Amino acid sequence: MKDASAAAVYGARAANGVVIISTKKGKQGKPTINFTASVGLTQKAAYRDRWQSPEAYLQHYVDWKEKNMYGVNAETGEYAAYSRAGNEYTSKPGYFRNPNNLDDVSLEAWRGYTTNDEGESDLSIWARRLGFRPNTALMDNLLSGKVMDWQDKAFRLGFNQDYNASISGAGEKIDYYMSLGFLRNEGAFVDDTYRAIRANFKLNAKVTDWFEIGANINFQDRTDGEIGMNKGGFMENSPYAVFKDDEGNYVQDPLMFQYDRNNLTNWYYEKQFLELQKGYTTFNTIFNAKLKLPFGITYTFNAAPRLQYFHDRYFMSAERPNSNPNDRGANREQAKRFDWSLNNTTTWDKMFADKHHVIVTLAQEAEELQYWKDRIEARNILPSDVLGFHNTQNGDKSVSSFESNDTHQTADGLMARLFYSYDDRYMATFTMRRDGYSAFGSSNPYAYFPSGGLAWTFSNEKFFQPYNHIMSTGKLRVSFGKNGNRSLANPYEALANLYPGGGKMQGYITSSGDLYLMRYLMAQRMENPNLQWEKTQSWNFALDFGFLNDRITGTLEYYRMSTKDMIMGQRLPNFTGFESITTNLGQVDNNGFEIALNTLNIDNKNFQWSTTFSLSYNKNRIKHLYGDYEDILDASGNVIGKKEADYVGNGWFIDRPISAIWDYKVTGIWQKDEVDEAKKYGQVPGDPKVWNNPANDEYDADGNLKKIIYNNDDKVFQGQTAAPVTWALRNDFTLWKDLTLSINIYSRMGHKSLESMYLNNDDDGGGMTYRLVNKEAKEYWTVDNPSNKYARIEAQGPEGAKGARRLYNRSFVRLENISIGYTLPRQWTKRVDIERVKVYATVRNAAVWGSKDWEYYGDPETGNYASRIWTLGLNLTF
């Protein structure tokens, strides 16, 4: 919401306000019992290919083995494999090739490259050359065609359950609502399970005609967390690796010691020696009272205490083979958070002469948050760790660790607001807030946030009455306001602190000759007593409209926002002894527009169709940073002015988006007929072409190129990572009053991302060499597959830009939700004394459409995996 008048209503401290939503309450009459049950399935969204097939896996190894054998063939002049001068395989063309796919050599010649066992199959010879050792399970599985789908073992069709029962009712003076629910969801990954028990109790009592009191109490106990699957490592296991032994037991090393090192990437084996209990228990309560006083004055009081417990108990058994007891043991973390907030509001609401409406609101808020955390990491538990995480006291103290972290913060606020309306045509409001937060420096804990707005409902004017049958609603709004942001990395950011440094000790000898060791303490953070609120000032202009008796309604809105005194780290000179200090610097401006449109397209007895559409565009620019200025030079090196310096190290540039992409630009891939040109850059065909600024290179006295250089002068702006355009479309259909269908689509557009996966650095620390890893099905450059988008295996950019990332479009459209429901006719259900029966089904994340350039990089929104959720539910009301 960009409307500054909204800030006037809801207050400047979005993080501190108390919002009470009462959507469920009892109705007078007999108690109403409601039961809702839903079951569903979670699956991996179908947005990326599966891992390479066994055939593609072996071909990938062939191409990886051949990656360093390319060169210009002396006889044909073509760039090809087995042509690199001085390579040991140059005289053995096709050495690593599939014997069923030989082009330039006979099968007999190919067999003769190595000494083979008598009667050894060609498949065995080929496998040995690729790195499979004879007489190993890996080789046996390859020769027998026995494969394992590791991705299938990592994912599952998760089963979800959600049950909720409630009872509500109301008398003349009291209404109540009670509910109890249970939820258990399984994620698409086998190690992802979430469980929650929740309860809610609401009570509202009208004690007298002028006094009401109520309470809303929520309880939730939830358990979540994953037992550490290394998802990438697990699914990269060779399709010929071993999952279980002949007796059906999980194996620790799927490669079965194919090499003289372990391949410990079988999560099913590992989890036998792991145990996890992790989750939250939360009590969230709201107590409220309302008092009606004379002269139209109303007083309301809200108090919201909240208590949360967190536990994380993780056990790693030292009985796991090939483990070091000093690295195994139990983690126990307990944390308690208690916070409360209260709000006192007095409102005077008065109407004068039937046209003058005045509302005066005075509010006072206060809050406090306390947090306590203790963590023990006990290692090498002696004499045995059979008690798991129930026994930490016997851990070896020399390899164990202990940690505590306690915080305390408070905040308070005052607000005064005046609203005036004349004849429902002209409206004005003005608000002043004074907010304080304990985490800011001692000099500036408080800040003032004024806001105001004007509105004109021109559709209520007499001169507009003849046009009301066309434009039924019309209002112009303009507002101004300031909001505050208090987000800090921790509530003590403005204070200096001491820490034990690198653990160094200093000793001294007493008069009796005893040695005492004392740990050094060092200042870790510089104090800033002037740290203050981050402030956003905004202007908002809007038109609210309605046509055809409000069958078409919506809002057109334009806003300008400027955020100053941003909370950020400022670099400090080395002589201070600190790298940076948290302070208020810079200015970022945002401006844009939002469109919201609601239409009732069809409204018949047996068919209704309504549509909701929203569109927003935001332009973001950095206007100021640290206030450091640098000279502007002309072509001759003369100073012609000054400008504020950019923060290049953080990727922040004056008059650019805060999420600007500034990096080397990949323009394509070197092809086989560009050998000589690629060589100038120290590259070979299959490597990425990276744009170079010729003015930045080295030349001799005659102007001849000596050396191509890559540095910051070769980087260019290529867009931004934040989506400037967002839109959403929802269509709701009702047929015969009982059958409903809802379809929701949303999109993020105009943003981009840099990624280096196209370089196909598949070995990744020895994965191809020592683990025979499999990879996701993908393209990569070869002489026979001259892609201009995907580089060769183990490609690299030129010196200075070896890891140059490629630019990808991240725009997408997502079919986010499809929901269908049917309410059984009342005449059917009343026969069994059931008030209402509704069955429904939904699918979340039904489909996503994005740039094809992003096809190998996961979901375009998350950048990784995404889930699709199917749900079937039943709602009964008695």
Side-chain angles (χ1 to χ4, degrees), residues 178-249:
M178 295 180 290
S179 69
L180 179 66
F182 172 78
L183 170 73
R184 187 180 188 277
N185 287 342
E186 294 179 344
F189 279 104
V190 294
D191 66 338
D192 181 15
T193 301
Y194 172 85
R195 179 198 62 81
I197 298 173
R198 56 187 185 270
N200 177 228
F201 175 72
K202 297 178 185 178
L203 180 69
N204 190 70
K206 190 175 182 179
V207 182
T208 67
D209 291 340
W210 47 269
F211 181 53
E212 295 182 22
I213 190 169
N216 186 343
I217 302 173
N218 290 279
F219 165 81
Q220 184 184 71
D221 182 81
R222 90 177 198 222
T223 299
D224 53 9
E226 300 179 353
I227 303 181
M229 170 185 277
N230 178 0
K231 297 176 176 62
F234 182 80
M235 289 185 285
E236 283 187 347
N237 273 310
S238 169
Y240 301 106
V242 181
F243 181 58
K244 291 182 178 181
D245 60 24
D246 294 337
E247 298 178 356
N249 301 311

Side-chain angles (χ1 to χ4, degrees), residues 59 94 97-105:
Q59 182 59 46
R97 297 286 172 87
N98 187 328
N100 297 321
N101 187 27
L102 299 175
D103 296 327
D104 302 327
V105 64

Side-chain angles (χ1 to χ4, degrees), residues 754-796:
L754 291 173
E755 293 292 341
S756 60
M757 291 174 64
Y758 81 104
L759 291 172
N760 293 305
N761 292 315
D762 295 340
D763 195 36
D764 191 22
M768 298 283 289
T769 304
Y770 299 109
R771 289 184 48 228
L772 297 177
V773 297
N774 195 7
K775 293 290 182 178
E776 289 177 332
K778 61 179 180 178
E779 286 189 44
Y780 50 87
W781 186 96
T782 66
V783 169
D784 299 322
N785 183 40
S787 170
N788 202 40
K789 291 168 52 179
Y790 305 100
R792 66 182 178 90
I793 297 175
E794 305 295 334
Q796 60 183 13

Side-chain angles (χ1 to χ4, degrees), residues 14 148 161 267 292 321 334 380 416 472 476 502 590 632 637-638 781 793 856:
M148 171 57 60
Q161 308 169 68
W267 175 79
K292 294 182 180 180
Q334 295 81 225
N380 192 19
S472 46
L476 289 172
N590 287 271
I632 301 175
N638 302 311
W781 186 96
I793 297 175
Y856 296 133

Side-chain angles (χ1 to χ4, degrees), residues 436-446 488 491-495 527-533 582 584:
Y437 181 42
S438 63
F440 289 118
S442 56
S443 300
N444 299 289
Y446 288 93
L488 293 172
Y492 303 118
E493 199 69 31
L495 303 177
E527 177 188 14
N528 183 4
N530 297 314
L531 188 65
Q532 58 183 293
W533 288 81
T582 301
N584 300 96

